[in-house]
Amino acid sequence: MRGNTFGKIFSITTAGESHGGAIAVIVDGCPAKFKLEAKDIQKQLNRRRPGQSNLTTTRKEADQVEILAGLSQKITLGTPILMIIKNKDARNHDYEHLKNIYRPSHADFSVEKKYGIREWRGGGRASARETAARVAGGAIAKKYLKLKLNIKIYSYVEQIGPVKAVVQEEDISLTKIENNPIRCPDPKKAQQMIKYLEKIKKQGDSTGGVIRTVIKNTPLGLGEPVFDKLSADLGKAMLSINAVKGFELGAGFASASMKGSEHNDLFHSDSNGHVKTKTNFSAGIQGGISNGQDIYFRVAFKPVATINQKQTTVNTKGESVKFQGRGRHDACVVPRAVPIVEAMSAITLLDHYLRQQCYR
Amino acid sequence: MRGNTFGKIFSITTAGESHGGAIAVIVDGCPAKFKLEAKDIQKQLNRRRPGQSNLTTTRKEADQVEILAGLSQKITLGTPILMIIKNKDARNHDYEHLKNIYRPSHADFSVEKKYGIREWRGGGRASARETAARVAGGAIAKKYLKLKLNIKIYSYVEQIGPVKAVVQEEDISLTKIENNPIRCPDPKKAQQMIKYLEKIKKQGDSTGGVIRTVIKNTPLGLGEPVFDKLSADLGKAMLSINAVKGFELGAGFASASMKGSEHNDLFHSDSNGHVKTKTNFSAGIQGGISNGQDIYFRVAFKPVATINQKQTTVNTKGESVKFQGRGRHDACVVPRAVPIVEAMSAITLLDHYLRQQCYR
Amino acid sequence: MRGNTFGKIFSITTAGESHGGAIAVIVDGCPAKFKLEAKDIQKQLNRRRPGQSNLTTTRKEADQVEILAGLSQKITLGTPILMIIKNKDARNHDYEHLKNIYRPSHADFSVEKKYGIREWRGGGRASARETAARVAGGAIAKKYLKLKLNIKIYSYVEQIGPVKAVVQEEDISLTKIENNPIRCPDPKKAQQMIKYLEKIKKQGDSTGGVIRTVIKNTPLGLGEPVFDKLSADLGKAMLSINAVKGFELGAGFASASMKGSEHNDLFHSDSNGHVKTKTNFSAGIQGGISNGQDIYFRVAFKPVATINQKQTTVNTKGESVKFQGRGRHDACVVPRAVPIVEAMSAITLLDHYLRQQCYR
Amino acid sequence: MRGNTFGKIFSITTAGESHGGAIAVIVDGCPAKFKLEAKDIQKQLNRRRPGQSNLTTTRKEADQVEILAGLSQKITLGTPILMIIKNKDARNHDYEHLKNIYRPSHADFSVEKKYGIREWRGGGRASARETAARVAGGAIAKKYLKLKLNIKIYSYVEQIGPVKAVVQEEDISLTKIENNPIRCPDPKKAQQMIKYLEKIKKQGDSTGGVIRTVIKNTPLGLGEPVFDKLSADLGKAMLSINAVKGFELGAGFASASMKGSEHNDLFHSDSNGHVKTKTNFSAGIQGGISNGQDIYFRVAFKPVATINQKQTTVNTKGESVKFQGRGRHDACVVPRAVPIVEAMSAITLLDHYLRQQCYR
């Protein structure tokens, strides 16, 4: 009820503050007899880790994962899998000046009003550091989906600030996405994005962006209407990520101005006798249930709230004060959010796959 | 697990096919000792009901609600509230031609692949008729929020097809919204929307649209990070509604191209010493928790899939066939979806309010 | 959260007060494509119905079930199944004298303190009338278990007041159980029980009893340790039934004084090479998981609280008053509770079966 | 869904195998701003710890708890609390001989059939070592209940094998319970129990027992009928503990042979005008809801399955083999189970207290 669990059959329960002892996740509902080891997880964590390029925060966290339960000789037991990532480079003195201030557009104020207390060191659990636990849990789901069901999930940066890429279907591959620190498979636009980010950073400012995700080979029949539609649960998964302000599936907001005769995805049978659609504005989900076509969606991230500019705000007494960010932070979280979006997608898909399995 | 329950403390569990005996909802978790009677519910159902204007389907359903449990002399008992809406005008013969066809962009195909069976009469549970149960449940939440907490929820049509209204803050009132059958408080744009709808209908086509919602007076501290953020649960609530393809909170997708220095909502104290923000790009939710400012969001609806034009599709054997819609249907569901959006907003808000109450 | 839902994958959500409009249940998670009709349900409801013999309350309720959703031409759709049982013989004037009194050992006092309000007509939702909804939901589970999985559930009365039957394995059959109004397959003891009940009734008193249940052919591997052990969920199912005060599985309380060398169920292979146990003190559940042996347990019911004798109690002002039961009530609910125990057993078993299916 | 979470608002999610890296628990839903430190937890863990007296297993586990999340300077943040207990003395070679054997009355067989794999080292998650996580989580609940609500929970050993104590109300205190290694507040019977245990141990045998619990000062109105009655959830909590085979509340099985006129708890007002009952056969719970009187119940434990005697069983090929226990194990777990029963009681109570708080 306190909102720290996601998923119903395959679920993650997370714990950990940015500057506490550790970030942790218990993954429950992972199928038994599945090969798994720390390096499967570490690979994804390294993509989210701070300090991976000069575009990101300089906080140095190895984000080394330990698996403490749920495995026997690198095989899952069907029991809960516990993973721990110890916090190392938590410079608490960096945060003393935040103790009595509500930073603009941060969760400081709302968290304190909710719980009556707030961990001001590093933002506590409101810090995006929390998402390391999601990436760890998602790495398991992603591996399972890929190996057992051939489901592939690709997320990439489509937009940084005003710079938008137009990515061709054939350019969507892990290699092309990981080819640059922006994680945009359009190398030209990626260069522009990098330049934009450098400029913004120099201004002591920050920016937002958009991540697009494509999921291939989803089995027919996933999604549980009327409330747990696959689209609704993917939407919730994304909107639960820090800084996310928008989600659109398929044609999304553009569909609002389309006619039915344009938007309808006509069915036909392919050469193997499989029912397919000619267009895919529905993004592989109809009536909240997967129809076998590619699922794709876009996720909007607001700009990072911490900026190196003087802003007015209030302190905990309600007095007007000036505040300027000093901590180590990213000017844009979007490239590092790519593995987070993938992780949440994978958890949602695997959860819905297992939910549907009950009836097979 | 089959996805027919929404909410954790204040929850609705719904049942009912479009052409079965009834649409029903069990509301669990409603506070006791609250005045409630059928007409509170009926008022909202009438706003969703088919046949309310010549812009909607001609299906005639009085949508008369009966409350069969949970009340004693018009007072809630704290026990589950059962509401039933009998189906009356279900012309089953209208649907015989759909038995062996997968209508384009409908749930026919995905539903059949999921369950191995499909109610082809009226779309079964994939029909938007299901949403009557949500409106009934939401009417209770809405009344409670308004009377006990002074929380007000306004939804209105902002866009129909290509026609977009720009609504001023002061024009957002129930009277102005209900002033025309489109439910757009901008009367001029409403007329253009009506004209566009009439044109589209004549073409045998359909269109989508956008609903905007504003929620006033939300208490501080609602929302349960890290997964059940208020924004995430509102997003899921909206994306669970038939035909919804997009959700954006506050600045939404536009925030992606904004700088932190533009987007940040600076705190100040108002004359009563309450902490407020100067701008409200965050839409009243920071770190997934309400901060007391107005909450507002936009919801995108795709065009209605049923159109009176000949389309190619496949039958259940996978053979190519021609199909043209004949049933009674709307050319645009968006005006009738306004009370649905309000209902789901109210359920989400009241659920989160009660979740937070545990700790007071 | 208000406790009106039982089961996770196959679940029942119930509503209805004893003297409201109806008793109802929404069954969610029933597998699709399963033959079902009202008479499958009615058969079980008739076993629970008041007025079925002169041993029970004289309240006349046909307990006629209507299925209003979830079926198409007597086949389940995989959507929620709504069943309604209208209340007919609710003589509200019978209860006026209870308005301001807390009846001894009834829920009147605790309900009023919990909700701040209490339906004094017929005990509201604290009435055992609520269990009609369980029987209706359980009838579906029971039919499914029997037809699809060959799981058979037999409950019978083992004890009424001081009269205890010793039932042989070979006497456990539906015919022998239904052979007398007590539902005890030992015909001699059944007669003694009837006599005891008649005597007790004449004294204006009431009595308790014990129901024993045997479940045959449970598949291997059901139960979800560490908390949702099959034994724990069966125990909760039973302890949630009105008037139940005790639950013991297998050797139960007697096991406390046994030695390991006596209690241990030694494994062997039968002639088909299946692993079996020589004894079955574990009652088919080891480590909370079914091992294929018969599951059996006992459930203790306290005596009916309403008696036709003058008792002292307090009114809602806390003043001492005399109270004597006048309503129509059973001197012993145990024979009518047999189908309730079966229903809750069946729901628990099917729920756990489906939970395990996710991983097959 | 895999059964590793208990509680709805105050919940524990546990992980960890007997011989894996650690036993862990994430406590979600603990109220914020509550003083808590490791020694609060350690005190309870020490009561469950192996090796605390010569009556228990000789396995040496310090069971040292680390709190890695959820606190800031010994104050709860309202965020999930992560506690870890590292496994130290896990002698894996002790278990090699169990790899291919199904030990009698252990979970080896049913676990392997369920998951398709089994951790044979130390019984994996079927080991009672798992309960350390419950004790850690329960220690928080117990402290909260005591400090904030004055609710006191006392569990003690009432029976070991055939030796039964009759404990007077006034002898129920922590000091008297902890006065001997059996945790029986009747010192004379405790001595007999110890003697019985020594005898049984010498025989290479084991025994069961009964724990009785008394809960004082429960607020009015806890429990959520119709399914989540306080009695039902306490029962489930107890039946989820390893080796538990029976649960009875109040008069329990004895109530089956009582008359209503004997069993009914008559209400009266005490000198403060509070409504009380003269007797308390209902054990403080009526209609599934607490009525303010003492709650008390009994829990039956079967004898330990591992004994130092030669028994016949089968190996994983189904062949008959001889087996004799060699690992370090208790001849009776009941004294060490006392803090486990208290922990599960506390979690259930606090969970229900918070559930009820939503409506205040």
Side-chain angles (χ1 to χ4, degrees), chain C residues 1-6 8-9 12 14 102-107 109-111 113-115 125 130 134 159-162 196 200 203 205-210 220-229 231-233 235-236 239-242 245-249 252-253 255-261 263-269 275 278 282 285-287 289-291 298-305 307 309 311-314 318-319 344 355-356 359-360, chain D residues 1-6 8-9 12 14 102-107 109-111 113-115 125 130 134 159-162 196 200 203 205-210 220-229 231-233 235-236 239-242 245-249 252-253 255-261 263-269 275 278 282 285-287 289-291 298-307 309 311-314 318-319 344 355-356 359-360:
Chain C
M1 291 299 303
R2 267 307 197 184
N4 296 294
T5 297
F6 185 84
K8 294 203 168 174
I9 290 190
I12 59 170
T14 73
Y102 301 135
R103 290 169 296 162
S105 276
H106 272 277
F109 174 69
S110 53
V111 161
K113 293 306 165 193
K114 178 175 188 64
Y115 302 102
R125 199 151 163 72
E130 161 262 312
R134 305 182 185 217
Q159 181 183 339
I160 295 284
Y196 182 73
I200 280 286
Q203 295 171 356
D205 216 328
S206 67
T207 187
V210 172
L220 284 164
L222 307 196
E224 301 290 344
V226 296
F227 298 112
D228 298 351
K229 287 172 172 154
S231 35
D233 278 352
K236 169 163 177 168
L239 288 154
S240 77
I241 298 172
N242 305 42
K245 291 290 170 181
F247 172 84
E248 57 178 7
L249 183 83
F253 278 89
S255 70
S257 49
M258 289 171 81
K259 296 181 186 176
S261 57
H263 188 276
N264 279 356
D265 298 316
L266 305 185
F267 288 112
H268 69 105
S269 293
V275 173
K278 284 176 190 178
S282 306
I285 301 177
Q286 287 174 331
I289 300 167
S290 63
N291 70 1
R298 299 168 77 241
V299 182
F301 289 77
K302 67 161 192 167
V304 171
I307 58 176
Q309 295 184 8
Q311 299 170 95
T312 60
T313 189
V314 295
E319 299 161 344
M344 294 305 293
R355 284 172 79 166
Q356 175 66 2
Y359 297 99
R360 289 295 159 98
Chain D
M1 292 298 303
R2 270 305 198 187
N4 296 295
T5 298
F6 185 85
K8 294 201 168 178
I9 291 190
I12 59 170
T14 72
Y102 300 136
R103 290 169 297 162
S105 276
H106 272 276
F109 174 69
S110 53
V111 162
K113 293 306 164 191
K114 179 176 190 65
Y115 302 102
R125 197 145 165 74
E130 162 262 313
R134 305 182 184 217
Q159 181 184 339
I160 294 285
Y196 181 73
I200 280 287
Q203 294 171 356
D205 216 329
S206 68
T207 188
V210 171
L220 283 164
L222 307 197
E224 301 290 341
V226 295
F227 297 112
D228 298 351
K229 287 173 171 151
S231 34
D233 278 352
K236 170 163 176 165
L239 288 154
S240 78
I241 299 172
N242 305 42
K245 291 289 169 182
F247 172 84
E248 56 178 8
L249 184 83
F253 278 90
S255 71
S257 50
M258 289 170 83
K259 296 181 189 176
S261 57
H263 188 275
N264 279 356
D265 296 318
L266 305 184
F267 288 112
H268 68 104
S269 292
V275 173
K278 284 175 189 176
S282 305
I285 300 178
Q286 287 173 332
I289 300 167
S290 62
N291 69 1
R298 298 168 76 242
V299 182
F301 289 77
K302 67 161 191 165
V304 171
T306 302
I307 58 176
Q309 296 183 7
Q311 299 170 93
T312 61
T313 190
V314 296
E319 299 160 344
M344 293 305 293
R355 285 173 78 166
Q356 175 66 1
Y359 296 100
R360 291 297 160 97

Side-chain angles (χ1 to χ4, degrees), chain D residues 100-353:
Chain D
N100 299 313
I101 269 185
Y102 300 136
R103 290 169 297 162
S105 276
H106 272 276
D108 299 346
F109 174 69
S110 53
V111 162
E112 189 167 311
K113 293 306 164 191
K114 179 176 190 65
Y115 302 102
I117 184 175
R118 164 173 65 97
E119 172 56 282
W120 44 269
R121 288 173 201 82
R125 197 145 165 74
S127 161
R129 182 144 184 74
E130 162 262 313
T131 57
R134 305 182 184 217
V135 171
I140 297 177
K142 221 176 130 186
K143 185 178 181 189
Y144 190 90
L145 292 175
K146 196 172 163 191
L147 286 192
K148 300 285 181 179
L149 302 167
N150 197 30
I151 299 175
K152 288 169 190 161
I153 301 174
Y154 301 102
S155 298
Y156 60 86
V157 173
E158 191 186 60
Q159 181 184 339
I160 294 285
V163 189
K164 295 183 197 185
V166 184
V167 175
Q168 301 307 315
E169 177 67 22
E170 59 267 25
D171 284 333
I172 301 171
S173 75
L174 188 62
T175 318
K176 292 200 175 171
I177 293 167
E178 294 295 311
N179 216 17
N180 56 65
I182 287 287
R183 296 203 165 88
C184 173
D186 175 341
K188 239 168 140 177
K189 290 288 178 183
Q191 286 316 308
Q192 291 179 34
M193 290 173 182
I194 291 172
K195 267 186 199 131
Y196 181 73
L197 268 189
E198 286 167 348
K199 191 183 82 180
I200 280 287
K201 211 176 165 181
K202 234 173 265 167
Q203 294 171 356
D205 216 329
S206 68
T207 188
V210 171
I211 291 177
R212 188 170 180 270
T213 297
V214 180
I215 305 174
K216 293 176 169 300
N217 303 330
T218 304
L220 283 164
L222 307 197
E224 301 290 341
V226 295
F227 297 112
D228 298 351
K229 287 173 171 151
L230 189 54
S231 34
D233 278 352
L234 282 169
K236 170 163 176 165
M238 297 308 132
L239 288 154
S240 78
I241 299 172
N242 305 42
V244 170
K245 291 289 169 182
F247 172 84
E248 56 178 8
L249 184 83
F253 278 90
S255 71
S257 50
M258 289 170 83
K259 296 181 189 176
S261 57
E262 297 171 286
H263 188 275
N264 279 356
D265 296 318
L266 305 184
F267 288 112
H268 68 104
S269 292
D270 72 7
S271 52
N272 298 314
H274 295 138
V275 173
K276 304 280 176 190
T277 64
K278 284 175 189 176
T279 53
N280 187 20
F281 292 111
S282 305
I285 300 178
Q286 287 173 332
I289 300 167
S290 62
N291 69 1
Q293 302 298 108
D294 283 0
I295 294 172
Y296 62 96
F297 54 82
R298 298 168 76 242
V299 182
F301 289 77
K302 67 161 191 165
V304 171
T306 302
I307 58 176
N308 283 333
Q309 296 183 7
K310 200 159 279 185
Q311 299 170 93
T312 61
T313 190
V314 296
N315 61 20
T316 53
K317 292 179 190 159
E319 299 160 344
S320 182
V321 292
K322 295 279 179 201
F323 169 77
Q324 179 159 358
R326 278 198 274 155
R328 301 153 295 172
H329 58 267
D330 300 79
C332 179
V333 293
V334 182
R336 285 179 58 205
V338 163
I340 306 169
V341 166
E342 284 178 6
M344 293 305 293
S345 302
I347 293 165
T348 306
L349 263 280
L350 181 51
D351 188 31
H352 273 279
Y353 172 75

Side-chain angles (χ1 to χ4, degrees), chain A residues 46 65 78 121 135 199 220 243 257 287 335 346:
Chain A
N46 290 347
V65 72
R121 288 174 201 80
V135 171
K199 191 183 84 180
L220 282 165
S257 49

Side-chain angles (χ1 to χ4, degrees), chain A residues 101-112:
Chain A
I101 270 186
Y102 300 136
R103 291 169 296 163
S105 276
H106 272 276
D108 299 346
F109 174 69
S110 53
V111 162
E112 190 167 311

Side-chain angles (χ1 to χ4, degrees), chain A residues 18 48 122-133 242 333 336 340:
Chain A
S18 174
R48 195 213 70 96
R125 198 147 164 73
S127 160
R129 183 144 183 74
E130 162 262 312
T131 58
N242 306 42
V333 293
R336 285 178 59 204
I340 306 168

Side-chain angles (χ1 to χ4, degrees), chain D residues 47-59:
Chain D
R47 297 175 72 208
R48 195 213 70 95
R49 194 175 64 187
Q52 59 184 281
S53 86
N54 61 354
L55 296 173
T56 66
T57 164
T58 57
R59 179 171 174 172

